[in-house]
Amino acid sequence: MDHVGIEPASVPVPPGVGGLRGLLAKNPLEADLTRRRFRIRAGAVEKVFTDAETWHVFGFNAVLAGGTDAIERVPLEQRSFAYEGAACACTVLDLLTFARGRRLRELLAGPARFHRHAAYLGAGRGYALLRLRPVWGARRAHPLLRWLALDGFGFEWSLRRADRMLGERATPDLLTRAHGALFDQGLGRLVWYHECASPEDVALRVGTYPAERRADLWSGVGFAATATGGAEADELWRLAEHAGADGFRPHLAQGCAFAAAARLRSGSLPAHVARAVPILAGAEPEEAASWADDALLALGHDARTQEEFHHWQARTRRAWTHRHRP
């Protein structure tokens, strides 16, 4: 069974857990984005984002409680968010105990092997919690997917400093300019959350950034709009129109294709993903996912640099362009 008595608000850290793990445990209230002054659209939309963050907290605290068995009883369509939280906790513990990534590697090789994309995003969130640059500690992970940690770093860093990151459009001093593109993907995902899936508000927010940053922001928006959801079909059509008007329609589709590939690999295709992909990518989920998977295979087993990661994205965009060529 996918769901055996697990509720998102039940955080598996018993009172007896103390020491470092007890200090690190997350308060379930962290999942309440209204406390961070995010835009509110009461009802089902707000619940989508709160649930995603609640399962992240659940996975984080599951690791602190001693294991990830409870995550396998999380509803399958929410399990990636829980493994994102688990990877975040593993990364924090590895860094604080100088374990050289042992817990994260074991998680990726074991229970999170079907949720690798989410796990690398979670690892980046762990680095952001400790204010450490992800590229220094992620070298023992997958040579190419490790760059996703910068995306996760961008999301978590911006989540905790939303007023400054969105209002002042700043970037953290500890990242180089070259890393800013991947950071901006995570920031783009945060914009989708912050604007509560309103296509007009998302487009207005993205439009406040310089043109050289908007491509990556739209990529992050496409990923979040697909993987997390929150928008109805008519809103997704409007989102695609806004991205096209801004000149970054392929980037929105590329983010969507990455999300489709990640979701299919996890064994779950929620209704919101099945709804979003044909609109944002203009193809069925399996086809869109194949663009990302084939582009990754084309790079070969030795791909490891940030430039090659960007080639992966560019090849995926070319597949979308070829599919929609007049």
Side-chain angles (χ1 to χ4, degrees), residues 124-285:
R125 294 185 68 166
Y127 282 98
L129 288 177
L130 298 180
R131 300 176 63 87
L132 295 173
R133 186 185 300 181
V135 293
W136 292 116
R139 299 188 188 281
R140 292 174 174 267
H142 186 285
L144 195 65
L145 294 184
R146 65 190 173 99
W147 293 106
L148 290 169
L150 280 163
D151 183 321
F153 180 95
F155 180 90
E156 183 70 30
W157 188 274
S158 303
L159 174 69
R160 295 179 175 276
R161 302 163 181 82
D163 287 349
R164 180 166 183 260
M165 302 307 300
L166 297 175
E168 300 177 18
R169 296 176 290 284
T171 53
D173 295 335
L174 72 164
L175 293 183
T176 67
R177 180 174 298 181
H179 297 146
L182 292 169
F183 176 94
D184 279 345
Q185 289 179 146
L187 175 58
R189 291 193 296 120
L190 192 276
V191 167
W192 182 250
Y193 280 56
H194 188 272
E195 304 303 329
C196 210
S198 167
E200 284 71 35
D201 293 327
V202 168
L204 283 172
R205 181 69 69 178
V206 172
T208 65
Y209 288 82
E212 61 269 19
R213 297 184 64 182
R214 296 206 297 271
D216 296 297
L217 291 170
W218 277 116
S219 175
V221 168
F223 188 95
T226 305
T228 307
E232 297 298 328
D234 63 317
E235 295 172 313
L236 292 167
W237 282 115
R238 299 205 306 273
L239 183 72
E241 291 172 1
H242 285 302
D246 200 19
F248 298 107
R249 183 69 180 83
H251 294 79
L252 183 77
Q254 173 260 306
C256 173
F258 272 38
R263 277 299 199 168
L264 285 170
R265 189 175 298 115
S266 74
S268 169
L269 189 69
H272 69 266
V273 178
R275 176 173 63 245
V277 179
I279 298 173
L280 300 184
E284 291 304 309

